[in-house]
Amino acid sequence: GSKMTEKTIPALAFVFPYHEMAMRNLLRVDGLYNVKTRSSNWNYRGPVFLYTSKGRHHNVPAEAYNLDPNKFPRGVIVGVATVVDSRLLTEDERLQMLCNFNKVTPAQAEKLGGWASSDYIEPLPFGVFLTDIKRFKEPVSFKPRPGAIGIMRVPLTLASKALKEVGINPKSL
């Protein structure tokens, strides 16, 4: 069809290793959802692509979980998930996310005192709650529009093969 009517779904863009952590269930809150934190809220609910951007990776979680940034592609859509909620995190959820990002226990996190220590990744105020996370068998290349950051729209056709390979009918999205 024409570009005007082409169906798109949003992609959440984050630097490495956050999507990799989510796909490994390392960003869990209350054992239920994987959460990625953002500086602003998002009113969207539904299917979302997970795009690993080309920006500099975050050392702290990469090293904490022994994820070698050189072994993972960037500038690609690595998977798909469903956004079930997006809201301000509670204090307890913030603590869980601090522990997730830095691979520390709540007791260790309490000892950090001021969370603004440069050696730790601090959760942003809002959480995007993800479920049904599926890793694509092959990452899908995607070039964002210049200046696009955070949330971008991606044509479904671009990833229809990858979606089918993980058991999702693109027409159902």
Side-chain angles (χ1 to χ4, degrees), residues 17-37:
Y18 297 107
H19 291 318
E20 184 59 33
M21 291 168 71
M23 291 188 291
R24 295 177 185 218
N25 281 325
L26 299 173
L27 296 179
R28 288 252 163 142
V29 162
D30 296 334
L32 285 173
Y33 302 107
N34 280 276
V35 175
K36 185 58 190 81
T37 64

Side-chain angles (χ1 to χ4, degrees), residues 141-159:
S141 286
F142 175 65
K143 273 200 171 17
R145 281 204 321 275
I149 55 164
I151 296 164
M152 306 164 298
R153 306 287 315 186
V154 177
L156 266 178
T157 50
L158 189 71

Side-chain angles (χ1 to χ4, degrees), residues 63-150:
E63 286 173 15
Y65 291 100
N66 203 16
L67 298 169
D68 180 346
N70 301 314
K71 294 200 166 92
F72 294 89
R74 291 184 228 179
V76 291
I77 298 165
V78 292
V80 62
T82 303
V83 176
V84 290
D85 201 3
S86 176
R87 57 175 172 74
L88 263 177
L89 294 174
T90 65
E91 273 306 301
D92 182 53
E93 289 165 343
R94 276 179 65 86
L95 177 63
Q96 289 181 61
M97 290 307 296
L98 181 78
C99 294
N100 289 341
F101 285 163
N102 301 287
K103 201 179 180 186
V104 294
T105 64
Q108 288 170 314
E110 298 293 342
K111 282 204 197 81
L112 300 180
W115 283 8
S117 153
S118 62
D119 293 341
Y120 288 91
I121 301 277
E122 206 179 324
L124 294 165
F126 294 92
V128 177
F129 291 71
L130 302 169
T131 186
D132 300 327
I133 299 174
K134 291 182 168 53
R135 179 193 300 273
F136 285 159
K137 291 188 168 59
E138 292 292 323
V140 176
S141 286
F142 175 65
K143 273 200 171 17
R145 281 204 321 275
I149 55 164

